[in-house]
Amino acid sequence: MQVLEDAPLAPLTTFRLGGPAARLVTATTDAEVVGVVREADRTGTPLLVIGGGSNLVIGDDGFDGTALRIATAGFALDGARLELAAGEVWADAVARTVEAGLAGVECLAGIPGSAGATPIQNVGAYGQEVSSTITEVVAYDRVSRETVTIPGAECGFSYRHSRFKAEPERFVVLRVRFGLEEAGGLSMPVRYAEMASALGAEPGERVALAMARETVLKLRAGKGMVLDPEDHDTWSAGSFFTNPILTEAEYEAFLTRVRERLVPGADPPAYPAGEGRVKTSAAWLIDRAGFAKGYGSGPARISTKHTLALTNRGHARTADLLALAREVREGVHATFGVTLVNEPVTVGVRL
């Protein structure tokens, strides 16, 4: 276990932003993780848990407490059952499941971050979410002060949300267990229209696992969503805002504003999101509100590849990023009456 004082945190995030932590502890075993958490709780020390840092916005003043970097390792397959230590690199784990001929997470290829973060955000892309394959989450419960195993059905999964996100100060994820599928080297049925088109397949069709993964990686790379230290479009947290989910009444009011402000027939994307709810596209809203790819003149700008990604062009501060995020959020609300919600977790700052 490594302990550093006044340690920089920016290098531990994909934004490469944020001030230092008073203390940074890197834990490589579950026991070390639990020990650090218990010590922080016993002494009343503020605790920040860091995995891959791909969904984190840390304030320029840093974190006055203990930052716990989870660097545990563990990839175990038993038939189609997979167990990952929280510190495992998620993109690498997906690649290994594809190599093993197991379907279920192939469309989540290339997503940065650690395995332990996936149930917190209910990570999803291209028609898949981890909630469809997670069977159990092993976590340290800071309330009961014990390690617990939570069945997938009790994780409270919904769109980019979970029980762990709802109670951010309670659980520290240690291990995640998945139930994958042996499908003769084929993927799960393709659900996402963009992916089906790129594959030349019909929605609902299965394709070769490796082909599915490679197609997702190409689609993500084209949007600056695969980490590349030389490409500032990837100095981001991926999608900065979640897709809004509106009630039917809210959606009708939104649609009226769209038709008042845009050309007739310019209806926004709409997808069923549960009884009486409609999901629309944050990227569509941002673009139609006047924030195009590459928008901005300062050190924080919208990606040149995707309107949903806010990026650090190399010399930004967190304050620059938040100023841009607020400008986009307020511009979308002024135009369409819809308030965007940030997906990344903020530390020491608020949007």
Side-chain angles (χ1 to χ4, degrees):
M1 187 167 68
Q2 183 187 64
V3 181
L4 298 173
E5 307 294 330
D6 193 29
L9 295 180
L12 302 182
T13 74
T14 52
F15 266 123
R16 295 168 171 80
L17 294 175
R23 181 171 178 254
L24 171 64
V25 181
T26 299
T28 58
T29 68
D30 290 354
E32 289 177 353
V33 172
V34 171
V36 173
V37 176
R38 283 178 170 165
E39 179 192 9
D41 290 345
R42 180 180 58 80
T43 59
T45 304
L47 180 70
L48 171 63
V49 178
I50 300 177
S54 61
N55 203 49
L56 200 56
V57 177
I58 299 173
D60 292 316
D61 291 336
F63 183 71
D64 188 17
T66 295
L68 167 60
R69 178 173 171 259
I70 297 182
T72 53
F75 178 102
L77 270 178
D78 179 8
R81 295 191 296 268
L82 170 67
E83 180 179 283
L84 295 177
E88 280 289 323
V89 176
W90 174 251
D92 293 347
V94 171
R96 292 178 70 177
T97 66
V98 170
E99 290 171 4
L102 297 172
V105 294
E106 63 279 0
C107 292
L108 307 180
I111 293 177
S114 63
T118 61
I120 298 171
Q121 286 292 112
N122 185 19
V123 164
Y126 296 102
Q128 285 184 350
E129 290 182 331
V130 291
S131 57
S132 65
T133 54
I134 288 178
T135 58
E136 293 179 329
V137 175
V138 180
Y140 177 70
D141 184 342
R142 298 171 70 184
V143 173
S144 66
R145 301 180 184 178
E146 61 182 352
T147 297
V148 296
T149 299
I150 303 172
E154 297 178 16
C155 290
F157 289 127
S158 60
Y159 173 66
R160 300 298 175 271
H161 197 69
S162 69
R163 177 180 181 181
F164 311 106
K165 192 171 183 179
E167 300 180 85
E169 301 300 320
R170 179 170 181 178
F171 297 103
V172 177
V173 175
L174 302 174
R175 297 187 170 266
V176 189
R177 294 171 181 152
F178 301 81
L180 304 178
E181 181 177 323
E182 295 177 345
L186 296 179
S187 69
M188 298 297 287
V190 176
R191 301 181 185 277
Y192 202 75
E194 181 185 14
M195 186 174 171
S197 176
L199 285 163
E202 294 295 323
E205 186 178 342
R206 293 177 184 258
V207 299
L209 269 170
M211 182 184 297
R213 175 177 175 270
E214 287 302 320
T215 299
V216 167
L217 289 174
K218 288 178 183 178
L219 289 171
R220 290 185 64 85
K223 299 172 183 177
M225 299 290 186
V226 177
L227 294 181
D228 178 352
E230 302 302 318
D231 182 0
H232 286 290
D233 278 335
T234 74
W235 290 31
S236 76
S239 299
F240 194 88
F241 297 104
T242 59
N243 290 322
I245 296 179
L246 310 174
T247 65
E248 290 181 350
E250 289 170 340
Y251 183 75
E252 287 302 318
F254 162 54
L255 206 54
T256 298
R257 294 184 72 141
V258 169
R259 290 168 177 167
E260 289 173 352
R261 287 161 174 74
L262 303 180
V263 297
D267 289 349
Y271 311 96
E275 186 175 353
R277 294 184 177 275
V278 180
K279 181 168 69 175
T280 191
S281 166
W284 188 95
L285 289 166
I286 293 167
D287 184 66
R288 299 311 191 281
F291 303 99
K293 295 174 185 176
Y295 178 87
S297 57
R301 304 178 196 175
I302 291 178
S303 165
T304 66
K305 300 181 179 72
H306 199 303
T307 53
L308 205 46
L310 307 187
T311 67
N312 171 9
R313 306 317 292 183
H315 303 287
R317 290 170 52 83
T318 301
D320 300 317
L321 174 75
L322 294 178
L324 175 62
R326 293 184 186 113
E327 182 183 2
V328 171
R329 183 184 62 182
E330 292 163 9
V332 167
H333 187 269
T335 305
F336 297 117
V338 175
T339 300
L340 294 177
V341 176
N342 53 292
E343 186 168 334
V345 175
T346 56
V347 176
V349 289
R350 285 191 176 187
L351 184 57

